């Protein structure tokens, strides 16, 4: 197997026109004019320079010399099947890339579990201390309601039915606030702050709906879902920025920015857990869970409701709250108190 | 090709022979693998792109070669991540002691700007070969220190002079690096002067503002032309024959096509740009190729290169 080529000795920028010959596992290079052998390389000591579409460059590892073979010489497959060093390094690179990217994928998949584990391991006081550093400017845009005494009393009466009930309630204290907003929503922040938006109160059909929602949010606080969501979002952002090539972007998740927290979504597993715990709380205090069930039914066709954006389907949730309660439910508020509560932000 | 044994007179342009479609396939492959490997392949992707571009630039019938490896860029990237986080955490802690420590960021920024500029250029040049001989930039700690000191002095003067020193800063830093660059044992020499460059810069900025940005085409062309035509390698010099009209058409087309194709035309546009800029470079002078010896090694750390690309620190090599 023979062919023409261009030889560079690796010491001077002077090309030498050559003929090469493949003899077994050796590549013999002869000066074209004098036919003197100027190089004799074992083929496995050569590396192919990749991505040279015009010609193929074989570099000798030990001498830094190289042979350029014009494309079409029809010897590539034979030569490169011998290029062991090149294949070895390629194999190592692919293994490295495979291992690293698989690790990142695995971390990404288990990130919800890890973040929940870390969140639960963090002392609650530490979470509250951290949340105190939060910039509340976004929340401040919500106007805090100034209720009448009767409305406030109705709210406190409702809250006192569902909280505190369990030993966990003493460990994880909460603060509930009602703020004015056209959005029908409620959310819990890490550190035990629960916000009810006024439209939710206005449109609710019964105090049981509100009690159900609050029980659900209390479960999020006690299960540390908010903190877990922050950790998970931070991690996912890190992965995303890693993919995008800008690892510094992870610092853009500023935990002191309230919006980044209030816009975090907890996942479906967390929602289901919170629903089960809410049902259990309602049952303990003999509140009719059908109120909360009806609430889901009213949202069945309301695709714009942000409250349900990351939650399990309404059917699944209705099933949880349709379970038969052990004791007969007792009402939370009188009709008059309920009317007062609905006017909380008026 | 003849064996040159004596002084050879040269007057020939660089030739770029890349094809947009080939480059598009390469970029597409890099993109897919980068996404699939969650960003890890990016280092190899960048290396592939450079190999393609370098490998399609030829002079006197022989193509340049990029010998860098993806793994080197990847290691550089990891080092940069570690460095970044150490610095970020360090400053966070220092600022808790006193907010005044925030000012310490300025000298640290200048230090790393200079370091990455120098080492980044060194990496790229040391991984560039033509006819089997390496380009390179001298490497020793004393030179690096001198360069960092020069950067401190010039950036400081630029800040004090409210930016008026910037053209001098560019020339001074460029001269330092170019004068220490070499092809084998043949040294580069940069003859640009701050006072001349200041005029180009001042004219460029004023006219760019007055023409609402249109003059920037001529400004960029003039800056490249000045740098290139004041660079020598031994007795070899360069001319830069890029016509402003061609560059104007290219710039406008790039904006429009990028918008219209939502970025899909990018590989063809990059290829067009390479074609335009590289083919505009003409080399002339005399050289004895037999007197050139390959003295360089390819041993250079890629952290500076990664940082210089990521943070757009470049001297226009």
């Amino acid at each position: 197997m023979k062919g023409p080529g261009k030889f560079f000795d690796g010491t001077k920028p002077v090309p030498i026109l050559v003929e090469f010959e493949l003899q077994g596992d050796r590549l013999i290079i002869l000066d074209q004019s004098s036919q003197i052998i100027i190089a004799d390389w074992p083929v496995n000591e050569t590396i192919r320079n990749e991505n040279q579409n015009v010609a193929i460059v074989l570099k000798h590892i030990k001498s830094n010399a190289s042979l350029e073979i014009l494309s079409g010489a029809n010897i590539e497959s034979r030569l490169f099947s011998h290029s062991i060093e090149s294949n070895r390094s390629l194999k190592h690179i692919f293994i490295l890339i495979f291992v690293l990217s698989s690790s990142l994928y695995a971390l990404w998949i288990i990130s919800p579990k890890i973040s929940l584990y870390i969140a639960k391991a963090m002392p609650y006081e530490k979470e509250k201390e951290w949340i105190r550093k939060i910039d509340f400017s976004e929340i401040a845009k919500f106007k805090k309601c100034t209720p009448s005494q009767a409305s406030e009393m109705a709210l406190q009466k409702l809250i006192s039915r569902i909280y505190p009930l369990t030993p966990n309630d003493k460990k994880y204290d909460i603060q509930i606030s009602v703020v004015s907003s056209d959005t029908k929503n409620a959310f819990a922040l890490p550190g035990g702050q629960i916000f009810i938006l006024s439209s939710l109160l206005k449109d609710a059909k019964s105090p049981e709906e509100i009690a159900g929602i609050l029980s659900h949010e209390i479960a999020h606080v006690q299960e540390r879902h908010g903190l877990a969501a922050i950790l998970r979002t931070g991690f996912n952002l890190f992965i995303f920025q890693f993919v995008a090539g800008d690892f510094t972007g992870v610092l853009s998740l500023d935990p002191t920015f309230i919006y980044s927290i209030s816009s975090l979504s907890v996942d479906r597993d967390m929602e289901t857990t919170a629903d089960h715990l809410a049902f259990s709380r309602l049952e303990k205090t003999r509140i009719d869970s059908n109120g909360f069930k009806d609430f889901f039914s009213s949202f069945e066709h309301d695709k714009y409701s942000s409250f349900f954006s990351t939650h399990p389907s309404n059917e699944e949730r209705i099933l949880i709250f349709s379970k038969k309660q052990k004791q007969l439910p007792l009402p939370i508020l009188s009709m008059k108190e309920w009317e007062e509560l609905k006017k909380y932000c008026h | 090709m003849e064996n040159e044994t004596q002084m050879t007179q040269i007057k020939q342009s660089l030739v770029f022979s890349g094809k947009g479609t080939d480059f598009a396939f390469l970029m597409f492959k890099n993109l897919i693998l980068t996404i699939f490997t969650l960003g890890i392949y990016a280092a190899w992707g960048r290396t592939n792109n450079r190999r393609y571009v370098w490998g399609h630039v030829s002079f006197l019938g022989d193509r340049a070669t990029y010998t860098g490896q993806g793994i080197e860029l990847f290691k550089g990237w990891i080092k940069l991540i570690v460095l970044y986080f150490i610095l970020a955490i360090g400053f966070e802690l220092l600022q808790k002691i006193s907010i005044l420590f925030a000012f310490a960021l300025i000298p640290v920024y200048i230090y790393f700007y200079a370091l990455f500029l120098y080492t980044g250029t060194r990496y790229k040049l040391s991984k560039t070969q033509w006819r089997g001989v390496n380009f390179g930039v001298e490497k020793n700690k004393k030179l690096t220190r001198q360069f960092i000191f020069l950067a401190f002095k010039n950036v400081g003067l630029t800040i004090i002079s409210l930016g008026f020193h910037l053209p001098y800063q560019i020339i001074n830093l460029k001269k330092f690096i170019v004068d220490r660059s070499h092809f084998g044992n043949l040294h580069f020499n940069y003859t640009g002067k701050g006072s001349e460059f200041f005029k180009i810069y001042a004219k460029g900025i004023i006219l760019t503002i007055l023409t609402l940005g249109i003059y920037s085409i001529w400004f960029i062309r003039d800056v490249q032309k000045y740098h290139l035509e004041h660079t020598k390698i031994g007795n070899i010099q360069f001319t830069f024959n890029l016509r402003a009209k061609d560059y104007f058409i290219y710039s406008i087309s790039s904006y429009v096509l990028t918008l219209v194709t939502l970025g899909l035309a990018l590989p063809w546009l990059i290829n067009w740009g390479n074609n335009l800029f590289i083919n505009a470079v003409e080399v002339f002078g005399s050289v004895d190729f037999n007197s050139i010896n390959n003295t360089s090694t390819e041993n250079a750390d890629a952290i500076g290169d990664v940082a210089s690309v990521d943070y757009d620190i470049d001297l226009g090599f």
Side-chain angles (χ1 to χ4, degrees):
Chain A
M1 182 172 291
K2 286 182 177 179
K6 204 188 276 182
F7 179 80
F8 298 100
D9 66 4
T11 61
K12 290 181 184 298
V14 181
I16 303 167
L17 292 180
V18 294
E19 281 173 9
F20 67 87
E21 192 171 346
L22 196 60
Q23 293 179 356
D25 287 342
R26 301 196 79 82
L27 185 67
I28 313 294
I29 299 166
L30 304 103
D31 186 303
Q32 198 180 57
S33 50
S34 65
Q35 290 293 303
I36 294 168
I37 295 175
I38 53 174
D40 178 357
W41 299 338
V43 176
N44 63 7
E45 285 180 10
T46 61
I47 303 174
R48 179 185 182 174
N49 195 327
E50 294 155 51
N51 270 351
Q52 298 279 3
N53 292 353
V54 185
I56 299 141
V57 176
L58 282 179
K59 192 172 175 183
H60 187 228
I61 306 161
K62 292 182 177 170
S63 65
N64 201 34
S66 57
L67 172 70
E68 192 175 294
I69 303 162
L70 298 175
S71 273
N74 202 24
I75 49 105
E76 295 105 75
S77 57
R78 174 112 187 252
L79 268 178
F80 301 132
S81 65
H82 287 78
S83 198
I84 295 163
E85 284 297 323
S86 177
N87 287 344
R88 257 190 209 153
S89 64
L90 266 180
K91 196 175 157 192
H92 289 155
I93 286 166
F94 279 118
I95 290 171
L96 175 78
I97 292 175
F98 179 76
V99 169
L100 285 171
S101 49
S102 305
S103 311
L104 278 176
Y105 270 122
L107 276 174
W108 185 37
I109 288 164
I110 61 171
S111 67
K113 302 270 179 221
I114 293 175
S115 51
L116 192 58
Y117 178 80
I118 295 170
K120 284 188 171 179
M122 186 188 272
Y124 188 59
E125 286 307 314
K126 196 87 188 159
E127 182 180 322
K128 281 165 62 181
E129 185 189 316
W130 184 46
I131 215 75
R132 272 198 289 273
K133 293 177 186 168
I134 282 179
D135 167 15
F136 277 91
S137 55
E138 285 292 324
I139 286 288
K141 285 176 189 166
F142 289 119
K143 195 179 154 200
K144 202 163 181 185
C145 300
T146 45
S148 66
Q149 203 180 357
S151 297
E152 183 60 33
M153 280 176 68
L155 178 68
Q156 292 309 323
K157 188 177 176 187
L158 186 146
I159 293 170
S160 65
R161 269 295 289 280
I162 55 168
Y163 177 90
L165 279 185
T166 63
N168 240 4
D169 289 349
K170 283 177 189 157
K171 192 174 161 194
Y172 299 107
D173 54 317
I174 55 159
Q175 302 88 48
I176 297 171
S177 314
V178 183
V179 289
S180 177
S181 170
D182 292 337
T183 313
K184 206 169 163 181
N185 203 357
F187 58 89
L189 294 182
Q193 297 188 69
I194 295 172
F195 290 88
I196 303 171
L197 306 189
S198 58
S199 285
L200 195 66
L201 274 182
K202 202 178 108 192
D203 295 346
K205 289 192 181 71
S206 68
E208 282 73 14
E209 278 189 29
I210 305 299
I213 291 165
L214 285 177
S215 301
H216 176 92
E217 298 303 333
I218 290 168
H220 276 319
V221 171
Q222 296 188 342
E223 289 296 303
R224 322 295 294 280
H225 289 165
L227 185 61
I230 293 174
L231 295 173
R232 192 198 63 205
T233 306
F235 183 77
N236 288 348
L237 191 64
F238 175 75
I239 299 265
F240 174 77
Q241 299 290 356
F242 204 77
V243 173
D246 177 16
F247 55 86
T248 59
V250 70
L251 300 178
S252 66
L253 182 80
D254 180 356
T256 62
F257 184 40
I258 189 71
Y259 186 73
S260 62
I261 295 170
S262 61
S263 62
L264 290 168
S265 57
V266 288
D267 63 27
R268 291 171 70 93
D269 286 348
M270 290 178 180
E271 289 301 339
T272 307
T273 306
D275 281 345
H276 282 293
L277 289 171
F279 178 79
S280 162
R281 183 177 290 275
L282 295 176
E283 191 171 46
K284 260 190 199 120
T285 189
R286 298 179 67 181
I287 293 176
D288 189 357
S289 62
N290 283 311
F292 200 23
K293 191 182 84 177
D294 293 343
F295 181 68
F296 297 130
S297 309
S298 74
F299 273 88
E300 210 154 20
H301 304 293
D302 186 357
K303 61 181 176 179
Y304 299 109
S305 168
S306 57
F307 185 79
F308 291 101
S309 56
T310 57
H311 294 45
S313 72
N314 288 343
E315 288 78 9
E316 290 171 56
R317 311 190 74 179
I318 287 168
L319 269 178
I320 294 171
F321 290 95
S322 298
K323 282 190 284 184
K324 195 180 172 194
Q325 288 178 290
K326 288 171 191 157
Q327 292 173 286
L328 273 177
L330 299 171
I332 308 172
L333 301 176
S334 66
M335 276 308 285
K336 190 165 182 290
E337 287 167 329
W338 174 231
E339 289 304 320
E340 287 298 334
L341 182 57
K342 282 175 79 73
K343 290 190 292 187
Y344 194 92
C345 276
H346 288 179
Chain B
M1 183 65 59
E2 295 162 21
N3 292 357
E4 288 89 345
T5 51
Q6 53 194 4
M7 277 298 194
T8 308
Q9 291 296 323
I10 297 168
K11 195 176 188 314
Q12 201 167 336
S13 294
L14 299 186
V15 177
F16 182 72
S17 55
K19 300 267 185 294
T21 307
D22 292 345
F23 194 52
F25 275 116
L26 183 65
M27 281 185 80
F28 184 67
K29 183 190 99 179
N30 291 339
L31 179 70
I32 295 292
L33 286 173
T34 300
I35 293 169
F36 183 69
T37 59
L38 299 173
I40 291 166
Y41 191 78
W44 282 267
R46 188 179 288 172
T47 300
N48 291 342
N49 287 347
R50 283 181 183 170
R51 278 185 184 156
Y52 182 86
V53 174
W54 266 240
H56 286 82
V57 177
S58 56
F59 177 60
L60 298 177
D62 293 308
R63 284 164 299 100
T65 310
Y66 179 72
T67 59
Q69 304 285 325
I71 189 76
E72 293 165 351
L73 289 187
F74 183 70
K75 284 179 186 168
W77 193 37
I78 296 291
K79 284 180 192 172
L80 190 63
I81 291 173
V82 172
L83 177 69
Y84 189 88
F85 277 97
I86 290 172
L87 286 176
I89 293 165
F91 274 105
E92 190 67 30
L93 294 174
L94 283 174
Q95 282 184 61
K96 278 187 178 170
I97 300 168
S98 168
I99 193 73
L100 289 175
F101 278 110
F103 290 104
L105 261 178
I106 299 168
V108 171
Y109 172 79
I110 297 171
Y111 175 82
F112 282 110
Y113 164 77
L115 188 68
F116 292 153
L117 191 59
Y118 193 71
T119 56
T121 310
R122 191 166 66 207
Y123 177 82
K124 261 199 285 286
L125 277 186
S126 74
K127 300 294 173 185
T128 302
Q129 276 187 356
W130 181 69
R131 289 186 170 179
V133 173
N134 285 78
F135 287 82
V137 180
E138 287 173 29
K139 181 187 180 184
N140 66 52
K141 285 181 180 169
K142 194 180 162 197
L143 278 179
T144 313
R145 273 200 301 272
Q146 282 176 358
F147 185 73
I148 290 168
F149 178 74
L150 188 71
F152 266 100
K153 188 178 141 192
N154 278 277
V155 173
L157 285 170
T158 299
I159 294 169
I160 293 167
S161 66
L162 303 173
F164 280 92
H165 185 72
L166 185 62
Y168 292 89
Q169 176 191 316
I170 293 168
I171 293 293
N172 292 342
L173 296 185
K174 194 170 184 85
K175 183 170 174 56
F176 189 96
I177 294 185
V178 174
D179 285 353
R180 283 151 188 84
S181 303
H182 50 84
F183 171 64
N185 58 348
L186 199 62
H187 270 264
F188 281 61
N189 180 22
Y190 187 71
T191 57
K193 288 189 169 55
S195 54
E196 292 170 1
F197 194 61
F198 181 86
K199 288 175 193 162
I200 292 171
Y201 224 78
K203 181 184 161 194
I205 287 177
I206 292 166
L207 289 177
T208 298
I209 294 168
L210 290 177
T211 60
L212 303 173
I214 293 171
Y215 190 77
S216 63
I217 305 281
W218 281 261
F219 182 28
I220 294 168
R221 194 274 311 260
D222 290 348
V223 166
Q224 294 294 336
K225 188 176 171 71
Y226 185 84
H227 286 324
L228 203 64
E229 295 188 353
H230 288 82
T231 301
K232 289 174 76 176
I233 315 175
N235 292 322
I236 295 172
Q237 287 175 272
F238 303 90
T239 51
F240 189 58
N241 303 318
L242 177 66
R243 293 188 306 172
K245 188 184 96 180
D246 294 337
Y247 187 37
F248 183 75
I249 293 168
Y250 168 69
S251 301
I252 297 295
S253 309
S254 295
Y255 281 120
V256 174
L257 289 172
T258 303
L259 282 175
V260 169
T261 64
L262 301 174
L264 285 174
L266 200 63
W268 286 271
L269 293 171
I270 293 173
N271 197 71
W272 183 9
N274 284 334
N275 211 10
L276 208 59
F277 273 78
I278 294 167
N279 289 338
V281 178
E282 190 180 52
V283 187
F284 67 97
S286 58
V287 62
D288 177 5
F289 285 113
N290 275 308
S291 71
I292 298 172
N293 293 307
N294 194 10
T295 55
S296 311
T297 61
E298 294 178 27
N299 181 22
D301 197 314
I303 183 172
D305 180 63
V306 175
S308 64
V309 174
D310 283 352
Y311 294 100
D312 205 17
I313 304 167
D314 209 332
L315 277 176
F317 276 98

